[in-house]
Amino acid sequence: MTTMTRPAVHRRSNADRLRQGLASGKFTAVLILLPPALILFSLFVILPLADAAYYSAFSWNGYGSPSDFVGSQNYARLLDHSVFHTALWNTAKLILVSLIIQMPLALGLALLVYRKTPTNTLFRLVFFLPYILAEVAAGLIWSFVFDGDYGITAFMFQALGQESVYLLADRQWAFPAIMTVIVWKYFGFHMMIYIAALQSVPKDLIEAAKLEGAKPRQVALFVQIPLIKHAIVVSGFFAIIGSLQIFDIIIPMTNGGPSNSTHTIVTYLYTFGLSRLNIGFGSAAAVVLFVLAIGIALFYQRATTKEGRV
């Protein structure tokens, strides 16, 4: 008797849920809002990805229909190209710098200015201004700053009586200079995420910790930071995905030079694919980038949550 009644109970409960959903208008909202979202996602995400995967099997310059089928040769060329290895390593360095330097810096500043005071509001604005600035404009500004002839760097070295240095023309220092600019550009975005999370921490817990004799550092480490864990996870996700997409700052600063030493995956795709009209090869790089982004995103989710969900 038990095995016969359970399915009926489940059927009744599901029917009740269906009636409740129809009565509340949830299903109507889904039917209205979901199709446009699916259409846009298919047009601007699924179809371009399918096209890239298709074109990556051809040696094609973008004109006419692709006809020179090469199979996996574009991927073989890609994996054998030393510049692509450099681009992968540079992208990995950007991810590490974002997680190890940029995020802790943003968190430290957020802990200093999260309280609502006029002075803190001013500091937030100053720290957030670099993020508002367009990436291309930021790249152009910093290319002038690092210019060894007319920039601020040249002026500083000349004032100290030293010979000017050309950071962006030096293989050893060009990419560290780019990473410095990226940290400066985006730490304000992460700072604002942490500020919003810190302002939601109950003040009673902070006051209770202070009454127990906790110092400001201990309050931050054992009360505030654990309570904004989800904000830190989201911030880390943005930092990783953003590092995989870096393009607009590098092109005006170095254009991938000197000697292709400052390429990331995206600038590599642009330089060796689109700008050279090697669309098939560039499509192969785009597919590899997509697979890397999906793989890293899934790994990050599983590594930062117990259930694999943010």
Side-chain angles (χ1 to χ4, degrees):
M1 292 296 293
T2 305
T3 57
M4 294 297 292
T5 57
R6 282 180 180 173
V9 171
H10 286 300
R11 283 196 296 271
R12 286 197 297 270
S13 61
N14 290 334
D16 291 339
R17 293 193 190 99
L18 179 60
R19 282 193 294 270
Q20 291 174 359
L22 290 173
S24 63
K26 293 181 179 179
F27 288 101
T28 304
V30 169
L31 291 175
I32 294 174
L33 299 177
L34 185 60
L38 288 175
I39 292 172
L40 291 174
F41 184 77
S42 300
L43 287 176
F44 296 105
V45 178
I46 301 299
L47 290 180
L49 286 173
D51 286 341
Y54 174 73
Y55 295 143
S56 67
F58 294 87
S59 178
W60 184 48
N61 62 3
Y63 294 98
S65 299
S67 58
D68 188 5
F69 182 79
V70 295
S72 61
Q73 290 183 18
N74 284 326
Y75 294 97
R77 287 176 53 204
L78 184 70
L79 297 177
D80 289 337
H81 198 190
S82 61
V83 180
F84 181 69
H85 299 162
T86 301
L88 282 175
W89 175 231
N90 286 341
T91 304
K93 286 191 287 187
L94 283 179
I95 293 174
L96 291 175
V97 166
S98 297
L99 296 177
I100 297 174
I101 297 178
Q102 183 174 261
M103 287 177 57
L105 175 64
L107 180 58
L109 289 172
L111 288 168
L112 293 175
V113 301
Y114 78 93
R115 295 181 181 86
K116 296 179 180 180
T117 65
T119 304
N120 287 344
T121 302
L122 176 61
F123 278 113
R124 287 183 216 165
L125 177 62
V126 172
F127 292 141
F128 192 66
L129 277 177
Y131 179 71
I132 299 174
L133 190 65
E135 282 80 0
V136 174
L140 291 173
I141 291 171
W142 281 94
S143 65
F144 173 75
V145 171
F146 290 133
D147 189 280
D149 292 323
Y150 309 105
I152 297 176
T153 303
F155 174 78
M156 293 174 59
F157 275 90
Q158 291 171 6
L160 295 173
Q162 302 292 325
E163 185 178 353
S164 297
V165 295
Y166 299 83
L167 293 177
L168 299 182
D170 190 318
R171 286 177 58 91
Q172 183 178 358
W173 292 104
F175 201 72
I178 289 174
M179 290 191 291
T180 301
V181 175
I182 290 172
V183 170
W184 168 85
K185 178 76 173 64
Y186 294 106
F187 82 92
F189 168 76
H190 298 281
M191 181 192 71
M192 296 305 290
I193 294 177
Y194 300 144
I195 287 175
L198 287 169
Q199 290 179 345
S200 66
V201 174
K203 294 181 180 180
D204 295 343
L205 294 178
I206 298 175
E207 294 299 328
K210 290 180 179 179
L211 290 175
E212 293 292 330
K215 297 180 180 180
R217 182 182 177 183
Q218 293 173 320
V219 172
L221 289 177
F222 300 110
V223 178
Q224 292 173 303
I225 293 178
L227 290 176
I228 64 169
K229 176 183 175 182
H230 292 292
I232 296 174
V233 170
V234 171
S235 174
F237 181 79
F238 283 133
I240 292 172
I241 297 302
S243 298
L244 291 172
Q245 298 175 341
I246 290 295
F247 172 80
D248 295 342
I249 291 178
I250 295 176
I251 292 300
M253 288 186 67
T254 63
N255 199 26
S259 302
N260 295 319
S261 62
T262 59
H263 277 300
T264 60
I265 299 178
V266 182
T267 61
Y268 175 88
L269 185 160
Y270 170 78
T271 301
F272 292 91
L274 298 180
S275 64
R276 300 187 182 187
L277 294 180
N278 197 345
I279 306 303
F281 185 75
S283 297
V287 171
V288 172
L289 174 61
F290 173 74
V291 172
L292 282 175
I294 293 297
I296 291 173
L298 292 176
F299 173 79
Y300 182 79
Q301 278 192 321
R302 291 184 178 277
T304 52
T305 58
K306 294 181 180 179
E307 295 84 9
R309 288 176 289 178
V310 177

